[in-house]
Amino acid sequence: LTSLLSNFMKKIDKNTRRASVLEQRLLEQVAANEQNNQTHREVNAALAKLMAGKKLPRSVIDLVEQAWCKVMFLTIMRNGKSSVQWQDNLKIIEKLLDLVEDSEGKIQEIDGVLTSIRQSLENIAIDPYQLGVLVGGIEQFFEDQADANKTAESATPEQLKPAQEQVVVEELATQLPGNIKTEEVPDLKTIDEKDLLHADNLTRGSWVDLVEELPPQVVGAEAKFTKERCKLAGIINPPGKYIFVNRHGAKVSEKSRFQVALDIKNKIIVVRDKNDIFDRALDRVLSDIRDRKSV
């Protein structure tokens, strides 16, 4: 009996350590993804505030969507939104937009802005060819605009080159890591403070049963339910995402705070008592030991 118990404890300890490592890696990965998502949203929001609804050259939009957004993204990651570097990023793009509207007699200002843009893009190791194409397109726009000012004539749409094409900015397609789409929030009318309190009472290590209804086509004429025992590995803040894993540390589900509250209310998530789980596990262990002893 002593030998069986010792081997059992060693196995449990080994599995626990392995599951703990997997849980930690999972939480770090989810946290990194959420940080990318949040930073992507912040960059898009800042650029949309400056550019949305304006009619701008295609070359300027290409620069922002393909390259300058990456400068802003890395600035937040390294220094935060309250940093001087972030304010400099905004000032450069604001100055560029002002020059697009009125560049007459401002050659030195144009050169200064383009130099700052080049240096910033070089600092993030952007592809030299892409840098040349993007900045070159803006240079071409200002050259054509200067020629138009000299002749006091506006170019017709048929004469415009691709770099000078004017389009109204409705939505930016920034090429950044992360997903800017936010999760759908359940109807708050179906959730009250008591439900949210149940979700808030869940702590890391809490055990729950996730109940899922299988569709009829999977199990036959009658739908049946599956139940999986899971543990709350952690809560990622922001945005308040609950990460559930199985006994082996593998991810089972990700849910928002509101969704967890709604699922608890609808008994899709059933919170298990820790003492009840221990007692059940102990009963199974003792039963196995008795069976082996009898054999």
Side-chain angles (χ1 to χ4, degrees), residues 57 99-104 110 139-150 153 164 166:
L99 290 172
V100 167
E101 294 182 1
D102 180 18
S103 62
E104 187 173 2
I110 293 172
E139 290 174 337
Q140 185 64 49
F141 166 78
F142 285 122
E143 290 176 5
D144 292 345
Q145 195 175 57
D147 293 340
N149 291 335
K150 289 179 182 179
E153 295 177 358
Q164 296 174 299
Q166 301 276 336

Side-chain angles (χ1 to χ4, degrees), residues 51-277:
M51 301 173 64
K54 292 185 178 181
K55 193 173 184 180
L56 299 172
R58 182 71 254 179
S59 58
V60 172
I61 298 174
D62 288 342
L63 172 75
V64 170
E65 291 182 335
Q66 299 177 28
W68 194 252
C69 64
K70 297 177 182 177
V71 174
M72 300 175 70
F73 184 92
L74 291 174
T75 297
I76 292 181
M77 286 292 196
R78 294 169 179 170
N79 307 295
K81 287 185 66 177
S82 60
S83 64
V84 175
Q85 292 87 340
W86 171 256
Q87 295 302 321
D88 289 342
N89 291 166
L90 295 178
K91 289 177 181 178
I92 289 174
I93 196 65
E94 286 176 347
K95 187 61 177 178
L96 177 61
L97 297 178
D98 290 340
L99 290 172
V100 167
E101 294 182 1
D102 180 18
S103 62
E104 187 173 2
K106 300 179 180 179
I107 298 178
Q108 291 184 345
E109 293 182 37
I110 293 172
D111 290 342
V113 169
L114 293 180
T115 298
S116 297
I117 290 175
R118 282 184 178 275
Q119 290 176 347
S120 297
L121 295 181
E122 289 173 353
N123 288 339
I124 66 170
I126 194 171
D127 178 70
Y129 175 77
Q130 185 184 19
L131 187 153
V133 170
L134 294 174
V135 177
I138 297 178
E139 290 174 337
Q140 185 64 49
F141 166 78
F142 285 122
E143 290 176 5
D144 292 345
Q145 195 175 57
D147 293 340
N149 291 335
K150 289 179 182 179
T151 59
E153 295 177 358
S154 299
T156 62
E158 291 76 13
Q159 295 173 325
L160 290 177
K161 299 178 182 179
Q164 296 174 299
E165 178 188 359
Q166 301 276 336
V167 296
V168 176
V169 179
E170 296 180 356
E171 185 178 359
L172 292 169
T174 49
Q175 299 180 7
L176 293 173
N179 182 11
I180 62 175
K181 294 182 179 179
T182 56
E183 294 183 3
E184 294 185 5
V185 178
D187 186 0
L188 297 182
K189 295 180 181 179
T190 62
I191 306 174
D192 55 30
E193 290 298 325
K194 183 179 179 180
D195 300 323
L196 292 174
L197 182 61
H198 288 155
D200 294 338
N201 286 337
L202 286 178
T203 58
R204 184 174 183 178
S206 298
W207 286 91
V208 301
D209 287 336
L210 292 183
V211 181
E212 181 181 2
E213 182 178 3
L214 295 175
Q217 59 268 27
V218 175
V219 295
E222 297 181 359
K224 295 183 179 179
F225 295 88
T226 61
K227 182 171 64 174
E228 184 169 7
R229 180 68 49 83
C230 303
K231 182 176 71 171
L232 178 61
I235 304 174
I236 306 300
N237 289 310
K241 179 172 288 186
Y242 289 60
I243 311 299
F244 295 95
V245 299
N246 59 20
R247 292 185 178 88
H248 305 293
K251 185 176 72 173
V252 175
S253 179
E254 294 182 11
K255 295 178 181 289
S256 68
R257 173 174 176 253
F258 295 106
Q259 189 61 55
V260 169
L262 184 61
D263 287 350
I264 292 177
K265 179 179 181 179
N266 295 332
K267 300 188 183 305
I268 295 175
I269 293 179
V270 180
V271 182
R272 309 305 307 184
D273 183 80
K274 292 183 178 180
N275 293 330
D276 177 58
I277 293 174

Side-chain angles (χ1 to χ4, degrees), residues 274-287:
K274 292 183 178 180
N275 293 330
D276 177 58
I277 293 174
F278 178 79
D279 291 340
R280 288 174 180 267
L282 183 59
D283 288 341
R284 285 197 298 269
V285 171
L286 293 176
S287 177

